[in-house]
Amino acid sequence: MDFANRPLPRETLTFEVVDDLVGAHLRGRLKGTPQVRYAATEVCPLIELMMESNNGRMGPLLQTPWLDSTTQLDFRRALASNQNIWLDEARLRGFMRTTFDPRVEADDLQRNRFLIAARTAAETSGLVKPVAQSLTAALREMESNIHEHSGASSTGILAFQARPSARGFRIRNPCNLARG
């Protein structure tokens, strides 16, 4: 049996794994060959990994060999780019950097496009319209809080990932992240 060419086992990237990877990276212990690859099936732990030791654009661990090379690749590429708003083709995942100021009316068009996409994704995944609208309002409030309280609003990011489940829409790992 050729063990050298066998694919590594895959596990889910969770916030706990992110904490472990960040700690190992800070202590210089991620230099060896990975024994497992982590699949970032949820966007929030991936964003947390990206935010580590960076300016809100590209952390050193976003390209780590500890992540599998395909899961959320489009999302990871968008995070590493200069894009301030990104939506996937199906419009079920997306992010918006908090470079748009909620107090500036000229920024409303971009922000509203993102929020409409988030609401539509929630409805497409099975939430009734009033609930989807409430979640969108919560995203808007999170953005406002980043600008009012973080002290580093240019590093903030709002993200959503909508998935249908057997019982309708589910929300897992909601994220609202900024450094500061």
Side-chain angles (χ1 to χ4, degrees):
M1 196 171 232
D2 185 7
F3 290 104
N5 291 323
R6 288 180 71 193
L8 293 175
R10 284 178 28 149
E11 293 185 20
T12 301
L13 183 70
T14 63
F15 283 111
E16 292 81 13
V17 170
V18 168
D19 288 344
D20 290 346
L21 288 172
V22 168
H25 174 73
L26 291 174
R27 291 186 300 280
R29 295 186 177 163
L30 281 185
K31 299 187 189 306
T33 304
Q35 301 302 306
V36 65
R37 297 231 197 270
Y38 295 100
T41 57
E42 302 289 335
V43 298
C44 293
L46 183 60
I47 292 170
E48 182 69 20
L49 187 68
M50 183 267 314
M51 295 288 280
E52 182 56 37
S53 302
N54 77 76
N55 63 1
R57 289 283 174 180
M58 171 81 171
L61 294 177
L62 194 58
Q63 301 298 328
T64 182
W66 292 82
L67 291 179
D68 80 16
S69 60
T70 58
T71 307
Q72 304 271 11
L73 183 60
D74 58 343
F75 192 85
R76 293 190 327 224
R77 283 183 179 151
L79 284 173
S81 76
N82 289 327
Q83 292 178 262
N84 289 321
I85 293 180
W86 177 85
L87 301 168
D88 71 355
E89 274 188 41
R91 299 179 75 84
L92 295 175
R93 293 175 298 146
F95 69 79
M96 180 180 78
R97 298 181 196 282
T98 55
T99 57
F100 305 105
D101 190 332
R103 298 164 292 193
V104 176
E105 191 174 324
D107 288 346
D108 283 348
L109 180 62
Q110 294 296 331
R111 177 182 312 96
N112 288 339
R113 285 181 181 161
F114 174 78
L115 293 171
I116 288 168
R119 188 198 75 218
T120 302
E123 290 175 20
T124 299
S125 296
L127 280 180
V128 294
K129 190 172 188 169
V131 174
Q133 289 171 329
S134 294
L135 284 173
T136 303
L139 276 173
R140 183 180 282 277
E141 179 63 22
M142 284 188 259
E143 177 195 23
S144 178
N145 286 343
I146 289 171
H147 281 275
E148 291 175 26
H149 305 295
S150 78
S153 62
S154 65
T155 68
I157 190 166
L158 299 172
F160 69 89
Q161 179 174 9
R163 291 188 193 166
S165 72
R167 294 172 295 195
F169 186 81
R170 67 179 189 184
I171 301 170
R172 295 186 58 192
N173 297 329
C175 54
N176 164 23
L177 301 167
R179 291 289 175 229

